[in-house]
């Protein structure tokens, strides 16, 4: 098995904990489904959130999905003038037999504009 990295992002419509759980949960679910992953395939997940998000930790959504024995960490994204607001980004390290080119990176909704080169 090789170690691979999967990227993803989602833009939230509002800074509310329930909404963050819903949108980050949808992002993680899409990453898992599009890459045929189970929780056992996950090594670790990094989450970043733009500085305008304060309502909850994005990692809380992963725990609510049942991802409970995987190391998770949250950090604040750089505060860059003109950057897309209310964005949660994910960098998941996984074990996979897939070649790097076959990994499906997932950018939901408006966040697809962040990485048009790799967004599915």
């Amino acid at each position: 098995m090789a170690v691979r990295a999967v990227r993803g992002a989602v833009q939230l419509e509002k800074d509310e904990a329930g909404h963050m759980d819903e949108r980050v949960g949808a992002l993680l679910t899409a990453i898992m489904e599009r890459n045929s992953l189970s929780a056992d395939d996950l090594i670790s997940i990094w989450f970043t959130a733009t500085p305008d998000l304060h309502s909850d930790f994005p990692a809380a959504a992963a725990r609510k999905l049942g991802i409970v024995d995987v190391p998770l960490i949250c950090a604040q994204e750089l505060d860059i003038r003109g950057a897309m607001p209310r964005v949660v980004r994910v960098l998941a390290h996984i074990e996979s037999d897939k070649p790097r080119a076959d990994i499906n990176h997932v950018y939901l909704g408006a966040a697809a504009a962040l990485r048009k080169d790799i967004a599915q």
Side-chain angles (χ1 to χ4, degrees), residues 76-117:
Q76 188 176 73
E77 192 72 32
L78 294 173
D79 190 9
I80 304 298
R81 184 177 29 253
M84 185 180 288
R86 299 177 316 282
V87 174
V88 174
R89 291 173 174 85
V90 170
L91 174 63
H93 299 96
I94 63 169
E95 292 181 322
S96 176
D97 287 328
K98 286 184 177 186
R100 187 176 292 144
D102 291 344
I103 298 296
N104 292 299
H105 305 282
V106 180
Y107 289 77
L108 298 180
L114 295 171
R115 288 298 306 265
K116 292 178 183 177
D117 57 327

Side-chain angles (χ1 to χ4, degrees):
M1 271 298 164
V3 174
R4 300 287 183 226
V6 183
R7 290 286 316 270
V10 64
Q11 184 182 40
L12 278 61
E13 295 171 16
K14 54 192 170 190
D15 183 22
E16 293 179 2
H19 182 62
M20 182 177 291
D21 284 346
E22 176 186 312
R23 299 303 296 144
V24 173
L27 175 62
L28 292 172
T29 298
I31 287 171
M32 302 284 283
E33 288 176 355
R34 293 181 193 179
N35 288 286
S36 302
L37 300 171
S38 71
D40 288 338
D41 300 318
L42 298 172
I43 296 169
S44 64
I45 305 175
W46 280 80
F47 296 90
T48 64
T50 51
D52 52 1
L53 294 175
H54 308 278
S55 62
D56 202 358
F57 295 99
R63 298 294 185 220
K64 289 176 183 168
L65 286 177
I67 301 172
V68 295
D69 62 349
V70 174
L72 309 174
I73 192 164
C74 298
Q76 188 176 73
E77 192 72 32
L78 294 173
D79 190 9
I80 304 298
R81 184 177 29 253
M84 185 180 288
R86 299 177 316 282
V87 174
V88 174
R89 291 173 174 85
V90 170
L91 174 63
H93 299 96
I94 63 169
E95 292 181 322
S96 176
D97 287 328
K98 286 184 177 186
R100 187 176 292 144
D102 291 344
I103 298 296
N104 292 299
H105 305 282
V106 180
Y107 289 77
L108 298 180
L114 295 171
R115 288 298 306 265
K116 292 178 183 177
D117 57 327
I118 63 173
Q120 301 298 314

